[in-house]
Every structure is written in structure tokens, then in C-alpha cells.
Amino acid sequence: MKLTLSVIKADIGGYVGHSESHPDVLAHAYGCMLKAKNDGLLVDFHVTKCGDDAQLVMTHTMGVDNKTIHELAWNTFVGCTEVAKKLKLYGAGQDLLADAFSCNVRGMGPGLAEMDITERGSEPVVIFMADKTSSGSWNLPLYKMFADPFNTIGLVIAENMHHGYAFEVHDVMHGKKITFNSPDEIYDMLVFIGAPSHYCVKAVYHRDTGDVAAVSSTQKLSLIAGRYVGKDDPVCIVRCQGIFPAVGEVLEPFTTPYLVEGWMRGSHVGPFMPVSIPDSTPTRFDGPPRVIACGFQLANGKLIGPRDMFADKSFDNARQKALDVADYMRAHGPFEPHRLPLEEMEYTTMPQVMNKLKDRFIPIGD
Ligand code: F6R
Ligand code: MG
Ligand code: MG
């Protein structure tokens, strides 16, 4: 069956502060999605949240970048914003950067990851959702899943994975893209994707079949708005099993709570902590950054699930390590590398402070 899987998300108001989504807002989203399903626009849907971000998971047959589906998501978020405003939730409507919908939600604030697939005999997918971090935070785990044999043994011993995967990488600063073949070009690719604030892995494809394996959201809110309006809080869809990594290989990168940018005021570096869906409530110093994993089996477009994959006990050590790393990083206070370098910071008082003190700067001399 030909199918489109669309994940569209937005922060449309936090409860309390930026820590969680309010149930009334999610209930409104559910109502809009149910109506769209009853009207025949959607095959199926699931509404969830990651921290203060509302997440719409939709299956349909209208293809990626479809105006009707994007408008449905936009109008859902507009309605949710009204609910958020009544409750005076924090930052109500924060991610709706445009005044009105036009054609496509791309560039309007919401984050999106979509893929067109032919549903296989059995189609397991994992949808990762993050809060308090930037697009680009999927670079490291996507590399490990699809290019690192120390993570994914299937790359070595499964014949249908042995030829590797192609990575589509976006230069988000200059609006350009390039495709690298793995494993042949991994050294070249790592020069770029090791800098995730500039280069984001947008998609991964199976090299022999051309099938899409993974798609991530790469929208950068600060580039769209030209100022800080909250973190990107990206999402990523990964197909699993068969010609793709097994579910366990897809989850394995998150056993290391690697460092990502975001956290308090979008201006810090902190550990990416894998948590259950209910535990996606970034609280300590507005963090640490969280990642959830919603697992689904697709059945003729129906979303069977989600299974809350990081609720499993086997991620307890990763969580403990993340908390220890959070303590260690916090001990640096306002110093780099906990605080981001000046040019990367989302908030800064530097221009005002510099202006105030400019006459007191004198040459050092010899
Ligand atoms: C990080 C984030 C929060 C806010 C912080 C200040 O992505 O959303 O850490 O930056 O709570 O929020 P404002 O500036 O809205 O008072
Ligand atoms: Mg928020
Ligand atoms: Mg958020």
C-alpha cells in the first residue's frame, strides 16, 4: 500500500513555563484529527506530546508536502493556540510564526518530517521526538544507526544491509544539500555532520533499493524568525527491520546520553536524556534535553501503537548517566563549553554590555 507518514509538531504553549503540554490542548488536537479522519482526509492519526511540543502523527495517501494535510495541521495548531490562550499557558502560539497559512507549513514555524512509503508486509517504525534541543541533534544517532558497525551489527552480517546507506545532508545556513554514500564517504561526511548546527542529516536511503529509511525535521526556528523564539525541538522517523536496522539497533545510540545544544534559554550544551513519554517534562534548568521514542506497526495505514520504547528498564543506566552529566555540566555555570560560544547563543546581552563598556576598552600595547 502506498502511504504517507507525516509528523508535524509545534510548541503552542507550555504548562507550566516550558515544561509540559496541557491535556486540554492535546484534547483539542485529538478532536481536529478525529474529524479529519472521519472526513476521509486521514487514514489514521496519533496525538502525543514531548515536553511543551504537541505532536501530530498522521497517515494518509496524499503524498509529502500536501497542502490539505499541512493546512489541517496548521488549523489544528491555531485552534490549540486559542485553548492555550484561554488557559494563559506560557508562550501560547509560540511556534506559529506566520499570520496565516499559505501552501505549506515549511518555513512557518512548525517542525515536520514526512515520508512516502510502500508499506511492507510488516512495517515497524520508530518516531523520535525531542524537547529543548535543535535540529541537527539526530546527526549522531542516525550516523550510528546507519553507518557504524559498532552500533549496528547488521551492517556487517546482514546481506541486505551490507552495501550501506546514502545520507542526504542539508547545509541549513545556505539552503544547499548533498548526498554522501556510506561507508565509502564517511570520512568526508563526518567533516560536515559533526557540526550539527550547520549541517543536518535530512534523510537516509537504502543504497540498493533507494527506499527511504529515515527522515528528520531540519527547520531552524531562529533562521525562520531571525531571532530566538524557542528551540527547534526536532522529530525523526526511522523505518526498522528487514533491509533497515533492527528496532534494537535503532534505539542503541541513545544508550549514550550524548551532548546536544539547547537546554536553558537554548544557549547551553547538555546530555540528551532518553525518557518515557510521561517523563518528557524538562524541569531541571528547563531540561536536561529529552528524547522520546514512539514505536508503531503500520497496518494498511493504521497506526498500531505507540509502544513507549524508552520506558524500558534497559535505558535506566542511560538516564542515570545523563543526570550525572547534567550535574557535571551545570557545575560550569556561565562558562563554555556548558554555555554555548557567543555566536551560537540564542540569547545574549553582549551588544548592550559591549556598547556600555566600549570606551573603557583601550589597546593592550606591547
Ligand atoms: C529553551 C526554553 C526555555 C526558555 C526559558 C526562558 O528552549 O524554551 O529554557 O528559553 O524558560 O523563557 P522566556 O524567555 O520565554 O521567559
Ligand atoms: Mg516552549
Ligand atoms: Mg519545546
Side-chain angles (χ1 to χ4, degrees):
M1 178 188 186
K2 287 220 183 294
L3 196 72
T4 308
L5 177 56
S6 299
V7 183
I8 308 187
K9 49 81 45 184
D11 176 347
I12 23 98
Y15 163 63
V16 170
H18 292 281
S19 66
E20 171 66 307
S21 302
H22 193 280
D24 290 1
V25 171
L26 299 179
H28 181 86
Y30 185 91
C32 297
M33 292 283 107
L34 186 61
K35 182 174 179 311
K37 185 178 171 182
N38 291 339
D39 290 349
L41 290 182
L42 300 178
V43 178
D44 203 7
F45 70 89
H46 179 73
V47 174
T48 188
K49 61 93 193 185
C50 182
D52 60 3
D53 292 85
Q55 309 274 349
L56 312 177
V57 180
M58 297 169 279
T59 54
H60 55 95
T61 51
M62 289 189 264
V64 301
D65 275 334
N66 180 271
K67 183 174 182 228
T68 309
I69 296 298
H70 284 216
E71 194 164 18
L72 165 67
W74 178 265
N75 289 340
T76 300
F77 291 139
V78 169
C80 288
T81 300
E82 275 160 31
V83 178
K85 280 187 174 154
K86 279 200 193 107
L87 298 171
K88 291 184 73 176
L89 297 183
Y90 197 72
Q94 172 178 302
D95 284 359
L96 304 189
L97 301 179
D99 295 331
F101 179 79
S102 67
C103 299
N104 192 301
V105 292
R106 205 179 294 282
M108 295 178 71
L112 102 132
E114 297 184 290
M115 53 168 67
D116 286 330
I117 61 169
T118 301
E119 190 182 291
R120 295 171 290 166
S122 181
E123 185 66 66
V125 296
V126 175
I127 304 175
F128 294 98
M129 302 166 181
D131 193 28
K132 304 295 180 272
T133 189
S134 314
S135 56
S137 291
W138 309 120
N139 285 10
L140 187 151
L142 287 173
Y143 177 80
K144 286 185 126 182
M145 288 171 212
F146 292 99
D148 179 3
F150 278 72
N151 180 90
T152 299
I153 186 61
L155 296 167
V156 182
I157 63 173
E159 208 186 327
N160 56 7
M161 295 174 65
H162 197 71
H163 194 208
Y165 295 85
F167 286 68
E168 181 183 319
V169 174
H170 287 197
D171 173 346
V172 291
M173 299 297 180
H174 301 106
K176 291 185 168 175
K177 63 180 179 182
I178 179 171
T179 299
F180 293 100
N181 279 328
S182 163
D184 327 23
E185 299 181 297
I186 55 172
Y187 295 163
D188 286 345
M189 179 168 79
L190 284 167
V191 173
F192 297 96
I193 69 169
S197 52
H198 290 215
Y199 299 94
C200 299
V201 178
K202 177 67 195 174
V204 181
Y205 298 90
H206 191 276
R207 274 179 75 179
D208 293 332
T209 67
D211 282 308
V212 63
V215 174
S216 79
S217 63
T218 50
Q219 290 75 22
K220 281 234 171 253
L221 277 169
S222 57
L223 293 181
I224 296 168
R227 64 192 157 88
Y228 182 63
V229 283
K231 264 304 181 204
D232 311 319
D233 301 339
V235 292
C236 182
I237 309 171
V238 184
R239 298 171 81 186
C240 310
Q241 306 291 149
I243 61 169
F244 305 120
V247 167
E249 291 167 331
V250 165
L251 300 178
E252 182 69 7
F254 298 93
T255 55
T256 298
Y258 57 95
L259 296 170
V260 294
E261 65 171 58
W263 208 346
M264 175 57 78
R265 296 179 189 275
S267 302
H268 291 80
V269 169
F272 208 16
M273 184 160 78
V275 291
S276 68
I277 300 165
D279 282 343
S280 64
T281 49
T283 309
R284 180 188 177 183
F285 200 57
D286 289 359
R290 312 278 160 124
V291 52
I292 60 171
C294 300
F296 293 96
Q297 290 287 152
L298 299 183
N300 303 316
K302 266 191 82 61
L303 289 155
I304 310 302
R307 274 215 61 227
D308 189 351
M309 307 306 281
F310 287 150
D312 189 69
K313 284 195 75 57
S314 56
F315 287 89
D316 285 353
N317 278 357
R319 286 187 267 277
Q320 187 54 54
K321 199 186 273 184
L323 296 177
D324 292 342
V325 171
D327 283 340
Y328 175 73
M329 295 303 286
R330 282 299 301 125
H332 294 76
F335 283 81
E336 297 177 13
H338 178 34
R339 198 195 71 180
L340 287 176
L342 286 174
E343 63 278 9
E344 305 268 342
M345 270 199 303
E346 301 279 12
Y347 286 55
T348 179
T349 48
M350 181 59 116
Q352 297 94 300
V353 176
M354 185 52 107
N355 193 41
K356 185 177 73 182
L357 300 179
K358 63 179 186 304
D359 296 334
R360 287 171 53 189
F361 276 91
I362 56 172
I364 295 172
D366 292 325

